Coordinates of all heavy atoms in Angstrom, one line a residue:
A1 N -27.1 -7.2 -22.3 CA -26.5 -8.2 -21.5 C -26.2 -7.8 -20.1 O -26.5 -8.5 -19.2 CB -25.1 -8.7 -22.2
E2 N -25.6 -6.5 -19.9 CA -25.4 -6.1 -18.6 C -26.6 -5.9 -17.8 O -26.7 -6.2 -16.6 CB -24.6 -4.8 -18.6 CG -24.2 -4.2 -17.3 CD -23.3 -3.0 -17.3 OE1 -22.2 -3.1 -17.7 OE2 -23.9 -1.9 -17.0
G3 N -27.7 -5.3 -18.5 CA -29.0 -5.2 -17.8 C -29.6 -6.5 -17.4 O -30.2 -6.6 -16.2
E4 N -29.5 -7.5 -18.2 CA -30.0 -8.8 -17.8 C -29.2 -9.4 -16.6 O -29.8 -10.0 -15.7 CB -29.9 -9.8 -19.0 CG -30.8 -9.5 -20.1 CD -30.6 -10.4 -21.3 OE1 -30.0 -11.5 -21.1 OE2 -31.1 -10.0 -22.4
A5 N -27.9 -9.2 -16.6 CA -27.1 -9.6 -15.5 C -27.5 -8.9 -14.2 O -27.6 -9.6 -13.1 CB -25.6 -9.4 -15.8
L6 N -27.7 -7.7 -14.3 CA -28.2 -6.9 -13.1 C -29.5 -7.4 -12.6 O -29.8 -7.4 -11.4 CB -28.2 -5.4 -13.3 CG -26.8 -4.8 -13.3 CD1 -26.9 -3.3 -13.8 CD2 -26.2 -4.8 -12.0
E7 N -30.4 -7.7 -13.5 CA -31.7 -8.2 -13.1 C -31.6 -9.5 -12.4 O -32.2 -9.8 -11.4 CB -32.6 -8.5 -14.4 CG -33.2 -7.3 -15.0 CD -34.4 -6.7 -14.2 OE1 -35.0 -7.4 -13.4 OE2 -34.6 -5.6 -14.5
T8 N -30.6 -10.4 -12.8 CA -30.3 -11.7 -12.2 C -29.8 -11.4 -10.8 O -30.2 -12.1 -9.8 CB -29.4 -12.5 -13.0 OG1 -30.0 -12.7 -14.3 CG2 -29.1 -13.8 -12.3
V9 N -28.8 -10.4 -10.7 CA -28.3 -10.1 -9.3 C -29.3 -9.6 -8.4 O -29.4 -10.1 -7.2 CB -27.1 -9.1 -9.5 CG1 -26.7 -8.5 -8.1 CG2 -25.9 -9.7 -10.2
V10 N -30.2 -8.7 -8.9 CA -31.2 -8.1 -7.9 C -32.2 -9.2 -7.6 O -32.6 -9.3 -6.4 CB -31.9 -7.0 -8.7 CG1 -33.2 -6.6 -7.9 CG2 -31.0 -5.8 -8.8
A11 N -32.5 -10.1 -8.5 CA -33.4 -11.2 -8.2 C -32.8 -12.1 -7.1 O -33.5 -12.5 -6.2 CB -33.8 -12.0 -9.4
A12 N -31.5 -12.4 -7.3 CA -30.8 -13.3 -6.3 C -30.7 -12.6 -4.9 O -30.9 -13.3 -3.9 CB -29.4 -13.6 -6.8
L13 N -30.5 -11.3 -4.9 CA -30.5 -10.6 -3.6 C -31.9 -10.6 -3.0 O -32.0 -10.8 -1.8 CB -30.1 -9.2 -3.8 CG -28.6 -9.0 -4.1 CD1 -28.3 -7.6 -4.6 CD2 -27.7 -9.4 -3.0
E14 N -33.0 -10.5 -3.8 CA -34.3 -10.6 -3.2 C -34.6 -11.9 -2.6 O -35.2 -12.1 -1.5 CB -35.4 -10.3 -4.3 CG -35.4 -8.9 -4.7 CD -36.4 -8.6 -5.9 OE1 -36.5 -9.4 -6.8 OE2 -37.0 -7.5 -5.8
V15 N -34.1 -13.0 -3.3 CA -34.3 -14.4 -2.7 C -33.5 -14.5 -1.4 O -34.0 -15.0 -0.4 CB -33.9 -15.4 -3.7 CG1 -33.8 -16.8 -3.1 CG2 -34.8 -15.4 -4.9
A16 N -32.2 -14.0 -1.5 CA -31.4 -14.1 -0.3 C -32.0 -13.4 0.9 O -31.9 -13.9 2.1 CB -30.0 -13.6 -0.6
M17 N -32.6 -12.3 0.6 CA -33.2 -11.4 1.8 C -34.4 -12.1 2.3 O -34.9 -11.6 3.4 CB -33.5 -10.1 1.3 CG -32.2 -9.3 1.0 SD -31.2 -8.9 2.4 CE -32.1 -7.4 3.0
T18 N -34.9 -13.1 1.7 CA -36.1 -13.8 2.3 C -35.8 -15.2 2.8 O -36.6 -16.0 3.0 CB -37.2 -13.9 1.2 OG1 -36.8 -14.6 0.1 CG2 -37.7 -12.5 0.8
D19 N -34.5 -15.5 3.0 CA -34.0 -16.7 3.5 C -34.2 -16.8 5.0 O -33.4 -16.1 5.7 CB -32.6 -17.0 3.0 CG -32.1 -18.4 3.4 OD1 -32.7 -19.1 4.3 OD2 -31.1 -18.9 2.7
Y20 N -35.1 -17.5 5.5 CA -35.3 -17.7 6.9 C -35.1 -19.2 7.3 O -35.8 -19.6 8.3 CB -36.7 -17.2 7.3 CG -36.8 -15.7 7.1 CD1 -37.3 -15.2 5.9 CD2 -36.5 -14.9 8.1 CE1 -37.4 -13.8 5.8 CE2 -36.6 -13.5 8.0 CZ -37.0 -13.0 6.8 OH -37.1 -11.6 6.7
A21 N -34.2 -19.9 6.7 CA -34.0 -21.2 6.9 C -33.4 -21.4 8.4 O -32.6 -20.6 8.8 CB -33.0 -21.8 5.9
T22 N -33.9 -22.5 9.0 CA -33.3 -22.8 10.3 C -32.9 -24.3 10.4 O -33.5 -25.1 9.6 CB -34.3 -22.5 11.4 OG1 -35.5 -23.3 11.2 CG2 -34.7 -21.1 11.5
D23 N -32.0 -24.6 11.2 CA -31.6 -26.0 11.5 C -31.2 -26.0 12.9 O -31.4 -25.1 13.7 CB -30.6 -26.5 10.5 CG -29.2 -25.8 10.6 OD1 -29.0 -25.1 11.5 OD2 -28.3 -26.2 9.7
R24 N -30.5 -27.1 13.3 CA -30.1 -27.3 14.7 C -29.2 -26.1 15.2 O -29.0 -25.9 16.3 CB -29.4 -28.6 14.9 CG -28.1 -28.8 14.1 CD -27.5 -30.2 14.2 NE -26.5 -30.4 13.3 CZ -25.2 -29.9 13.4 NH1 -24.9 -29.0 14.3 NH2 -24.3 -30.2 12.5
R25 N -28.6 -25.4 14.2 CA -27.7 -24.3 14.6 C -28.5 -23.0 14.8 O -27.9 -21.9 15.1 CB -26.6 -24.0 13.5 CG -25.7 -25.2 13.4 CD -24.8 -25.1 12.2 NE -25.6 -25.2 11.0 CZ -25.2 -25.2 9.8 NH1 -23.9 -24.8 9.6 NH2 -26.0 -25.3 8.8
G26 N -29.7 -23.0 14.5 CA -30.6 -21.8 14.6 C -31.0 -21.2 13.3 O -31.1 -21.9 12.3
D27 N -31.0 -19.9 13.2 CA -31.4 -19.1 12.0 C -30.2 -19.0 11.1 O -29.6 -18.0 11.0 CB -32.0 -17.8 12.4 CG -32.4 -16.9 11.3 OD1 -32.5 -17.4 10.1 OD2 -32.7 -15.7 11.5
V28 N -30.0 -20.1 10.3 CA -28.8 -20.0 9.4 C -29.1 -19.1 8.2 O -28.2 -18.6 7.5 CB -28.5 -21.5 8.9 CG1 -27.9 -22.3 10.0 CG2 -29.6 -22.2 8.2
G29 N -30.4 -18.9 7.9 CA -30.8 -17.9 6.9 C -30.3 -16.5 7.2 O -30.1 -15.7 6.3
S30 N -30.1 -16.2 8.4 CA -29.7 -14.9 8.8 C -28.2 -14.6 8.3 O -27.9 -13.5 8.0 CB -29.6 -14.7 10.3 OG -28.7 -15.5 11.0
W31 N -27.4 -15.7 8.1 CA -26.1 -15.5 7.5 C -26.2 -15.1 6.1 O -25.5 -14.2 5.6 CB -25.3 -16.8 7.6 CG -25.2 -17.4 9.0 CD1 -25.3 -16.7 10.2 CD2 -25.0 -18.8 9.3 NE1 -25.1 -17.6 11.2 CE2 -24.9 -18.9 10.7 CE3 -24.8 -19.9 8.5 CZ2 -24.6 -20.1 11.3 CZ3 -24.5 -21.1 9.1 CH2 -24.5 -21.2 10.6
V32 N -27.2 -15.7 5.4 CA -27.4 -15.3 4.0 C -27.9 -13.9 3.9 O -27.5 -13.1 3.1 CB -28.4 -16.3 3.3 CG1 -28.7 -15.9 1.9 CG2 -27.8 -17.7 3.4
R33 N -28.9 -13.6 4.8 CA -29.5 -12.2 4.8 C -28.4 -11.1 5.1 O -28.4 -10.1 4.4 CB -30.6 -12.1 5.7 CG -31.8 -13.0 5.3 CD -33.1 -12.7 6.1 NE -32.9 -12.7 7.6 CZ -33.0 -13.7 8.4 NH1 -33.1 -14.9 7.9 NH2 -32.9 -13.5 9.7
E34 N -27.6 -11.4 6.0 CA -26.5 -10.5 6.4 C -25.5 -10.3 5.2 O -25.2 -9.1 4.9 CB -25.7 -10.9 7.6 CG -26.5 -10.8 8.9 CD -25.7 -11.2 10.1 OE1 -24.5 -11.0 10.2 OE2 -26.4 -11.8 11.0
A35 N -25.2 -11.3 4.5 CA -24.2 -11.2 3.4 C -25.0 -10.4 2.2 O -24.4 -9.5 1.6 CB -23.9 -12.6 2.8
A36 N -26.3 -10.7 2.0 CA -27.0 -9.9 1.0 C -27.1 -8.5 1.4 O -27.0 -7.6 0.5 CB -28.4 -10.6 0.8
M37 N -27.3 -8.1 2.6 CA -27.4 -6.8 3.1 C -26.1 -6.0 2.8 O -26.1 -4.9 2.4 CB -27.7 -6.6 4.6 CG -29.2 -6.9 4.8 SD -29.6 -6.6 6.5 CE -29.0 -8.1 7.3
E38 N -25.0 -6.7 3.0 CA -23.6 -6.1 2.7 C -23.5 -5.8 1.2 O -23.0 -4.7 0.8 CB -22.5 -7.0 3.2 CG -22.4 -7.1 4.6 CD -21.3 -8.0 5.1 OE1 -20.3 -8.3 4.3 OE2 -21.3 -8.5 6.3
V39 N -23.9 -6.7 0.4 CA -23.8 -6.5 -1.1 C -24.7 -5.4 -1.5 O -24.4 -4.5 -2.3 CB -24.2 -7.8 -1.9 CG1 -24.3 -7.6 -3.3 CG2 -23.1 -8.9 -1.6
I40 N -26.0 -5.3 -1.0 CA -27.0 -4.3 -1.3 C -26.4 -3.0 -0.9 O -26.5 -2.0 -1.7 CB -28.3 -4.6 -0.7 CG1 -29.0 -5.8 -1.4 CG2 -29.2 -3.4 -0.8 CD1 -30.3 -6.3 -0.6
A41 N -25.9 -2.9 0.3 CA -25.3 -1.6 0.8 C -24.2 -1.1 -0.1 O -24.1 0.1 -0.5 CB -24.9 -1.7 2.2
A42 N -23.3 -2.0 -0.5 CA -22.2 -1.6 -1.4 C -22.7 -1.2 -2.8 O -22.2 -0.2 -3.3 CB -21.2 -2.8 -1.5
L43 N -23.7 -1.9 -3.3 CA -24.3 -1.6 -4.6 C -24.9 -0.2 -4.5 O -24.8 0.6 -5.4 CB -25.3 -2.7 -5.0 CG -25.9 -2.5 -6.3 CD1 -24.9 -2.4 -7.5 CD2 -26.8 -3.7 -6.7
L44 N -25.7 0.0 -3.5 CA -26.4 1.3 -3.4 C -25.4 2.5 -3.2 O -25.6 3.6 -3.8 CB -27.4 1.3 -2.2 CG -28.6 0.4 -2.5 CD1 -29.5 0.3 -1.2 CD2 -29.5 0.8 -3.6
E45 N -24.4 2.3 -2.4 CA -23.3 3.3 -2.2 C -22.7 3.5 -3.6 O -22.4 4.7 -3.9 CB -22.4 2.8 -1.2 CG -21.2 3.8 -1.0 CD -21.6 5.2 -0.5 OE1 -22.7 5.4 0.0 OE2 -20.7 6.1 -0.6
A46 N -22.3 2.5 -4.3 CA -21.7 2.7 -5.6 C -22.6 3.5 -6.6 O -22.2 4.4 -7.3 CB -21.3 1.4 -6.2
Q47 N -23.9 3.2 -6.5 CA -24.9 3.9 -7.3 C -24.9 5.4 -7.0 O -24.9 6.3 -7.8 CB -26.3 3.3 -7.2 CG -26.4 1.9 -7.6 CD -26.0 1.6 -9.0 OE1 -26.5 2.1 -9.9 NE2 -24.9 0.8 -9.1
R48 N -24.9 5.7 -5.7 CA -24.9 7.0 -5.2 C -23.7 7.8 -5.6 O -23.8 8.9 -6.1 CB -25.0 7.1 -3.6 CG -25.2 8.5 -3.1 CD -25.0 8.5 -1.6 NE -23.6 8.2 -1.2 CZ -22.6 9.0 -1.3 NH1 -22.7 10.2 -1.7 NH2 -21.4 8.6 -0.9
Q49 N -22.6 7.2 -5.6 CA -21.3 7.8 -6.0 C -21.2 8.0 -7.5 O -20.4 8.8 -7.9 CB -20.1 7.1 -5.4 CG -20.0 7.1 -3.9 CD -18.8 6.4 -3.4 OE1 -18.0 5.9 -4.2 NE2 -18.7 6.3 -2.1
S50 N -21.9 7.2 -8.2 CA -21.8 7.3 -9.7 C -22.6 8.4 -10.3 O -22.5 8.6 -11.5 CB -22.1 5.9 -10.3 OG -23.5 5.7 -10.2
F51 N -23.4 9.1 -9.5 CA -24.2 10.2 -10.1 C -23.9 11.5 -9.3 O -23.6 11.5 -8.1 CB -25.7 9.9 -9.9 CG -26.2 8.8 -10.8 CD1 -26.2 7.5 -10.4 CD2 -26.6 9.1 -12.1 CE1 -26.6 6.5 -11.3 CE2 -27.0 8.2 -13.0 CZ -27.0 6.8 -12.6
D52 N -24.0 12.5 -10.1 CA -23.7 13.9 -9.4 C -24.9 14.3 -8.6 O -25.9 13.6 -8.5 CB -23.3 14.9 -10.5 CG -24.5 15.2 -11.5 OD1 -25.7 14.9 -11.2 OD2 -24.2 15.6 -12.6
G53 N -24.9 15.5 -8.2 CA -25.9 16.1 -7.3 C -27.3 16.1 -7.9 O -28.3 16.1 -7.3
D54 N -27.4 16.2 -9.3 CA -28.7 16.2 -10.0 C -29.2 14.8 -10.3 O -30.3 14.7 -10.8 CB -28.5 16.9 -11.3 CG -28.1 18.4 -11.2 OD1 -28.4 19.0 -10.1 OD2 -27.4 18.9 -12.1
G55 N -28.4 13.8 -9.9 CA -28.9 12.5 -10.2 C -28.7 12.0 -11.7 O -29.3 11.1 -12.1
H56 N -27.9 12.8 -12.4 CA -27.7 12.5 -13.8 C -26.2 12.5 -14.1 O -25.5 13.4 -13.8 CB -28.3 13.6 -14.7 CG -29.8 13.7 -14.6 ND1 -30.4 14.6 -13.7 CD2 -30.8 13.0 -15.1 CE1 -31.7 14.4 -13.7 NE2 -32.0 13.4 -14.6
G57 N -25.8 11.4 -14.7 CA -24.4 11.4 -15.3 C -23.4 11.1 -14.2 O -23.6 11.1 -13.0
E58 N -22.2 10.9 -14.7 CA -21.1 10.5 -13.8 C -20.6 11.7 -13.1 O -20.5 12.8 -13.6 CB -19.9 10.0 -14.7 CG -20.2 8.7 -15.3 CD -19.8 7.5 -14.5 OE1 -19.0 7.7 -13.6 OE2 -20.4 6.4 -14.7
S59 N -20.3 11.6 -11.8 CA -19.7 12.6 -11.0 C -18.2 12.6 -11.2 O -17.6 11.6 -11.3 CB -20.1 12.4 -9.6 OG -19.3 13.2 -8.7
A60 N -17.7 13.8 -11.1 CA -16.1 13.9 -11.2 C -15.5 13.4 -10.0 O -14.4 13.0 -10.0 CB -15.8 15.4 -11.4
A61 N -16.3 13.2 -9.0 CA -15.7 12.7 -7.6 C -15.9 11.2 -7.5 O -15.7 10.7 -6.4 CB -16.4 13.4 -6.5
C62 N -16.3 10.6 -8.6 CA -16.4 9.1 -8.5 C -15.1 8.4 -8.1 O -14.1 8.8 -8.5 CB -16.8 8.5 -9.9 SG -18.5 8.7 -10.3
T63 N -15.2 7.4 -7.2 CA -14.1 6.7 -6.8 C -13.9 5.6 -7.8 O -14.8 5.2 -8.5 CB -14.3 6.1 -5.4 OG1 -15.3 5.1 -5.4 CG2 -14.5 7.1 -4.4
E64 N -12.7 5.1 -7.8 CA -12.4 4.0 -8.7 C -13.2 2.8 -8.5 O -13.7 2.1 -9.3 CB -10.9 3.6 -8.7 CG -10.5 2.6 -9.7 CD -9.0 2.3 -9.6 OE1 -8.2 3.3 -9.6 OE2 -8.6 1.2 -9.7
A65 N -13.5 2.5 -7.2 CA -14.3 1.3 -6.8 C -15.8 1.5 -7.3 O -16.3 0.6 -7.7 CB -14.2 1.2 -5.3
A66 N -16.3 2.7 -7.2 CA -17.7 3.0 -7.6 C -17.8 2.8 -9.1 O -18.8 2.3 -9.5 CB -18.1 4.4 -7.1
T67 N -16.8 3.3 -9.9 CA -17.0 3.1 -11.3 C -16.9 1.7 -11.8 O -17.2 1.4 -12.9 CB -15.9 4.0 -12.0 OG1 -14.6 3.6 -11.6 CG2 -16.2 5.5 -11.7
A68 N -16.4 0.8 -10.9 CA -16.3 -0.6 -11.3 C -17.6 -1.2 -11.3 O -17.9 -2.3 -11.8 CB -15.3 -1.3 -10.4
W69 N -18.6 -0.7 -10.6 CA -20.0 -1.2 -10.5 C -20.8 -0.7 -11.6 O -20.8 0.4 -11.9 CB -20.6 -0.8 -9.2 CG -20.0 -1.4 -8.0 CD1 -18.9 -1.0 -7.3 CD2 -20.6 -2.5 -7.2 NE1 -18.7 -1.8 -6.2 CE2 -19.7 -2.7 -6.2 CE3 -21.7 -3.3 -7.4 CZ2 -19.9 -3.8 -5.2 CZ3 -21.9 -4.3 -6.4 CH2 -21.0 -4.5 -5.4
P70 N -21.6 -1.6 -12.2 CA -22.6 -1.2 -13.2 C -23.7 -0.4 -12.6 O -24.0 -0.5 -11.4 CB -23.1 -2.5 -13.8 CG -22.8 -3.5 -12.8 CD -21.7 -3.0 -12.0
V71 N -24.3 0.5 -13.4 CA -25.4 1.3 -12.9 C -26.7 0.5 -13.0 O -27.0 -0.1 -14.1 CB -25.5 2.6 -13.7 CG1 -26.6 3.4 -13.3 CG2 -24.2 3.4 -13.5
L72 N -27.5 0.5 -12.0 CA -28.8 -0.1 -12.1 C -29.6 0.5 -13.2 O -29.7 1.7 -13.3 CB -29.5 -0.1 -10.7 CG -28.8 -0.9 -9.6 CD1 -29.5 -0.5 -8.2 CD2 -29.0 -2.3 -9.8
P73 N -30.4 -0.3 -13.9 CA -31.1 0.2 -15.1 C -32.3 1.1 -14.7 O -32.7 1.9 -15.6 CB -31.6 -1.1 -15.7 CG -31.5 -2.2 -14.7 CD -30.5 -1.7 -13.7
G74 N -32.8 1.1 -13.5 CA -33.9 2.0 -13.2 C -34.1 2.2 -11.8 O -33.5 1.5 -10.9
V75 N -34.9 3.3 -11.4 CA -35.1 3.6 -10.1 C -35.9 2.5 -9.3 O -35.8 2.4 -8.2 CB -35.9 5.0 -9.9 CG1 -37.3 4.9 -10.4 CG2 -35.8 5.5 -8.6
G76 N -36.7 1.7 -10.1 CA -37.4 0.7 -9.4 C -36.5 -0.4 -8.7 O -36.8 -0.9 -7.7
H77 N -35.3 -0.6 -9.4 CA -34.4 -1.6 -8.8 C -33.8 -1.0 -7.5 O -33.7 -1.7 -6.4 CB -33.2 -1.8 -9.7 CG -33.6 -2.6 -10.9 ND1 -34.1 -2.0 -12.0 CD2 -33.5 -3.9 -11.2 CE1 -34.4 -2.9 -12.9 NE2 -34.0 -4.0 -12.5
T78 N -33.5 0.3 -7.5 CA -33.0 0.9 -6.3 C -34.0 0.9 -5.2 O -33.7 0.6 -4.0 CB -32.6 2.4 -6.5 OG1 -31.6 2.3 -7.6 CG2 -32.0 3.1 -5.3
T79 N -35.3 1.2 -5.5 CA -36.4 1.2 -4.5 C -36.6 -0.2 -4.0 O -36.7 -0.3 -2.7 CB -37.7 1.7 -5.3 OG1 -37.5 3.0 -5.8 CG2 -38.8 1.7 -4.3
R80 N -36.5 -1.2 -4.8 CA -36.6 -2.6 -4.3 C -35.5 -2.9 -3.3 O -35.8 -3.6 -2.3 CB -36.6 -3.6 -5.5 CG -37.9 -3.6 -6.2 CD -38.0 -4.3 -7.5 NE -37.1 -5.5 -7.7 CZ -36.7 -6.0 -8.8 NH1 -37.0 -5.4 -9.9 NH2 -35.9 -7.0 -8.9
L81 N -34.3 -2.6 -3.6 CA -33.2 -2.9 -2.7 C -33.3 -2.1 -1.4 O -33.0 -2.7 -0.4 CB -31.9 -2.6 -3.4 CG -31.6 -3.5 -4.7 CD1 -30.2 -3.0 -5.3 CD2 -31.5 -5.0 -4.3
V82 N -33.7 -0.9 -1.5 CA -33.8 -0.1 -0.2 C -34.9 -0.7 0.6 O -34.8 -0.8 1.8 CB -34.1 1.4 -0.5 CG1 -34.5 2.2 0.7 CG2 -32.8 2.0 -1.1
A83 N -36.0 -1.1 0.0 CA -37.2 -1.7 0.7 C -36.7 -3.0 1.4 O -37.1 -3.2 2.6 CB -38.3 -2.0 -0.3
L84 N -35.9 -3.8 0.7 CA -35.4 -5.0 1.4 C -34.5 -4.7 2.6 O -34.6 -5.4 3.6 CB -34.6 -5.8 0.4 CG -35.4 -6.5 -0.7 CD1 -34.5 -7.0 -1.8 CD2 -36.2 -7.6 -0.2
L85 N -33.7 -3.6 2.5 CA -32.9 -3.3 3.7 C -33.7 -2.8 4.8 O -33.5 -3.1 6.0 CB -31.9 -2.2 3.3 CG -30.6 -2.6 2.5 CD1 -29.8 -1.4 2.1 CD2 -29.8 -3.6 3.2
L86 N -34.7 -2.0 4.5 CA -35.7 -1.5 5.5 C -36.4 -2.6 6.2 O -36.6 -2.5 7.4 CB -36.6 -0.5 4.9 CG -36.0 0.9 4.5 CD1 -37.0 1.8 3.8 CD2 -35.4 1.6 5.7
Q87 N -36.8 -3.6 5.4 CA -37.5 -4.7 6.0 C -36.6 -5.4 7.1 O -37.1 -5.7 8.1 CB -37.9 -5.7 4.9 CG -38.6 -7.0 5.5 CD -38.9 -8.0 4.4 OE1 -38.8 -7.7 3.2 NE2 -39.2 -9.2 4.8
Q88 N -35.4 -5.6 6.7 CA -34.4 -6.3 7.6 C -34.2 -5.4 8.8 O -33.9 -5.8 9.9 CB -33.2 -6.7 6.9 CG -33.3 -7.8 5.9 CD -33.9 -9.0 6.5 OE1 -33.4 -9.5 7.5 NE2 -34.9 -9.6 5.9
A89 N -34.2 -4.1 8.6 CA -33.9 -3.1 9.7 C -34.9 -3.3 10.9 O -34.6 -3.0 12.0 CB -33.9 -1.7 9.2
V90 N -36.1 -3.7 10.5 CA -37.2 -3.8 11.6 C -37.3 -5.2 12.1 O -38.1 -5.5 13.0 CB -38.5 -3.2 11.1 CG1 -38.4 -1.7 10.7 CG2 -39.0 -4.0 9.9
E91 N -36.5 -6.1 11.6 CA -36.6 -7.5 12.0 C -35.4 -7.9 12.9 O -34.3 -7.3 12.7 CB -36.7 -8.5 10.8 CG -37.9 -8.3 10.0 CD -37.9 -9.3 8.8 OE1 -37.0 -10.1 8.6 OE2 -38.9 -9.2 8.0
K92 N -35.6 -8.8 13.8 CA -34.5 -9.2 14.6 C -33.7 -10.2 13.9 O -34.2 -11.1 13.2 CB -35.1 -9.9 15.9 CG -34.0 -10.4 16.8 CD -34.6 -11.0 18.0 CE -33.5 -11.7 18.9 NZ -34.0 -12.6 19.9
I93 N -32.4 -10.0 13.9 CA -31.4 -11.0 13.4 C -30.6 -11.6 14.5 O -30.1 -10.9 15.3 CB -30.4 -10.3 12.4 CG1 -31.2 -9.8 11.2 CG2 -29.4 -11.3 12.0 CD1 -30.3 -9.1 10.1
D94 N -30.8 -12.9 14.6 CA -30.1 -13.6 15.8 C -28.7 -13.8 15.5 O -28.2 -14.0 14.4 CB -30.8 -15.0 16.0 CG -32.2 -14.8 16.4 OD1 -32.5 -13.8 17.2 OD2 -33.1 -15.7 16.1

């Protein structure tokens, strides 16, 4: 159940990161992309803090906030999220 929920969250973040909607106010999709980037950054930071230096198991130095986040089921999810952040890093946000 938790793995399916994370799949849904990652899929929603992927959709949000490709929102380039515009209207009379300009690039309103950038608001969605910025919010998605904040969530991705927080999720990746929590993942980093939840593993020790070997990349295996819980670290004794985990913060309470990091342990509240579920662990992504595989490295592929992390790779996809980092790729989305990198894509936005090279694009202009108005």
Side-chain angles (χ1 to χ4, degrees):
E2 185 177 285
E4 290 175 19
L6 283 172
E7 285 286 340
T8 302
V9 168
V10 171
L13 289 169
E14 288 177 320
V15 170
M17 292 291 278
T18 60
D19 187 336
Y20 292 90
T22 59
D23 68 8
R24 61 182 170 74
R25 297 170 291 176
D27 181 12
V28 294
S30 68
W31 305 337
V32 175
R33 295 191 311 273
E34 286 181 39
M37 285 187 280
E38 290 178 19
V39 172
I40 290 171
L43 182 57
L44 292 174
E45 176 63 15
Q47 299 305 297
R48 185 191 66 77
Q49 290 182 7
S50 70
F51 288 91
D52 62 23
D54 296 333
H56 298 94
E58 293 271 338
S59 169
C62 281
T63 64
E64 186 175 314
T67 58
W69 288 81
V71 176
L72 291 171
V75 71
H77 292 84
T78 302
T79 302
R80 286 170 29 205
L81 294 176
V82 170
L84 290 168
L85 284 179
L86 290 173
Q87 177 184 348
Q88 291 300 311
V90 298
E91 295 180 1
K92 180 182 175 195
I93 296 182
D94 296 325

